[in-house]
Amino acid sequence: MAGGTPRTRQGAAVVNGNHTNIVCTAFEDSIFVVVTQYEKLGTLVQVVPGVSADGTSAPTYTTRVLLGKDEPMTHVFARSLGEKICPKNGYKPFTLAVALKDWSPQVLHATEELVLQNKVW
């Protein structure tokens, strides 16, 4: 996408009884992912992939809350998405906006699948 318009896909599903919206946008140098059950952006998290110190083991993912609640599950969800998104997008950083009513493992897994169904990378 050299200098082109950002690509966007959106989807929705009912996840554990809650309407969930997903929006994925690919820019030239990064990705923006919205996962919301409140129809608001919620907490913004930056995910930056990196390489291990020895360069031979699995990539690392640094997560940083830019705006909103800095909760452990936010980092877990962001890192888990990073492991699925970054290897397929050339290890570009991405920003996640997340606002969930339910943070159970089943909901996190279902929303990850919904993100992957609407990928633009």
Side-chain angles (χ1 to χ4, degrees):
M1 181 177 66
T5 304
R7 294 183 314 263
T8 298
R9 282 190 69 185
Q10 57 186 342
V14 176
V15 177
N16 203 27
N18 293 305
H19 180 79
T20 306
N21 291 306
I22 305 292
V23 179
C24 298
T25 304
F27 297 92
E28 189 170 334
D29 61 348
S30 65
I31 306 282
F32 183 53
V33 176
V34 178
V35 177
T36 183
Q37 294 177 330
Y38 288 100
E39 297 188 15
K40 297 178 181 181
L41 291 179
T43 300
L44 293 176
V45 185
Q46 181 182 44
V47 180
V48 179
V51 294
S52 62
D54 63 8
T56 60
S57 58
T60 61
Y61 298 92
T62 303
T63 59
R64 184 170 63 111
V65 171
L66 302 175
L67 183 67
K69 293 183 180 181
D70 194 349
E71 300 285 336
M73 285 307 292
T74 305
H75 292 275
V76 169
F77 183 55
R79 186 180 192 291
S80 180
L81 270 177
E83 291 172 350
K84 292 169 179 64
I85 291 173
C86 293
K88 294 181 171 51
N89 78 5
Y91 289 95
K92 293 179 187 173
F94 75 95
T95 303
L96 169 67
V98 59
L100 295 174
K101 295 177 182 178
D102 181 353
W103 287 86
S104 68
Q106 297 84 1
V107 168
L108 297 181
H109 179 71
T111 55
E112 283 180 353
E113 290 302 315
L114 196 53
V115 167
L116 295 176
Q117 290 171 12
N118 290 282
K119 64 185 178 184
V120 290
W121 48 90

